[in-house]
Amino acid sequence: MSYKKLSWFFSLFIVFSFQANADGNDLLQKCNKAVQFMDSPPENPDFGSIGFCLGMMQGITNLNSVYEIRLEDEALFCGPEDGINNGQATRIVVKYLKDNPQDLHQHEGVLAIAAFMDAYPCE
């Protein structure tokens, strides 16, 4: 990982650290509700949690695209050329969180980015 990527990643961590109770446990709960809604919508869906999760996925993937374009080859992750839809992004993050329970105390934004970096590493 280049110095620019590493410094941006840690800057993001510092910014995100000011939000209270924004850890991986909370993100996993919200994104599990989004996956459940996509698979089989419940009678009373928690649209707040679902919207939060899908919004975070959209924000991170969009930010990565801007970062890649503006800084030329300095994206944090290198997804497919046709992009990642929010449903796929949500499933990637949920899988990563379930596979790494020892990290759930970390900030949700940092964990979501780590999930994409793990799923779509840059060469």
Side-chain angles (χ1 to χ4, degrees):
M1 183 180 298
S2 74
Y3 175 75
K4 284 182 184 178
K5 284 184 186 180
L6 193 58
S7 65
W8 184 87
F9 188 68
F10 286 114
S11 296
L12 184 65
F13 176 75
I14 291 167
V15 169
F16 280 143
S17 68
F18 290 109
Q19 184 180 352
N21 301 325
D23 66 5
N25 294 296
D26 190 47
L27 184 61
L28 181 57
Q29 177 194 25
K30 290 174 180 174
C31 288
N32 268 331
K33 290 180 181 184
V35 169
Q36 290 169 354
F37 182 77
M38 290 184 281
D39 290 345
S40 178
E43 280 188 36
N44 297 312
D46 180 355
F47 287 117
S49 292
I50 295 166
F52 178 88
C53 177
L54 296 177
M56 177 178 262
M57 299 306 109
Q58 185 71 45
I60 290 173
T61 56
N62 283 352
L63 178 63
N64 190 65
S65 295
V66 169
Y67 200 63
E68 181 177 32
I69 291 166
R70 298 287 288 162
L71 296 178
E72 298 179 11
D73 299 324
E74 288 295 330
L76 293 171
F77 55 91
C78 297
E81 283 189 31
D82 56 346
I84 308 166
N85 70 44
N86 291 338
Q88 179 184 11
T90 299
R91 293 176 194 282
I92 289 167
V93 170
V94 166
K95 181 182 182 324
Y96 181 85
L97 295 174
K98 287 180 177 180
D99 289 350
N100 296 281
Q102 71 280 3
D103 296 333
L104 293 178
H105 65 282
Q106 295 179 22
H107 190 276
E108 59 192 12
V110 171
L111 290 172
I113 291 170
F116 294 124
M117 290 173 76
D118 185 64
Y120 299 112
C122 296
E123 295 179 13

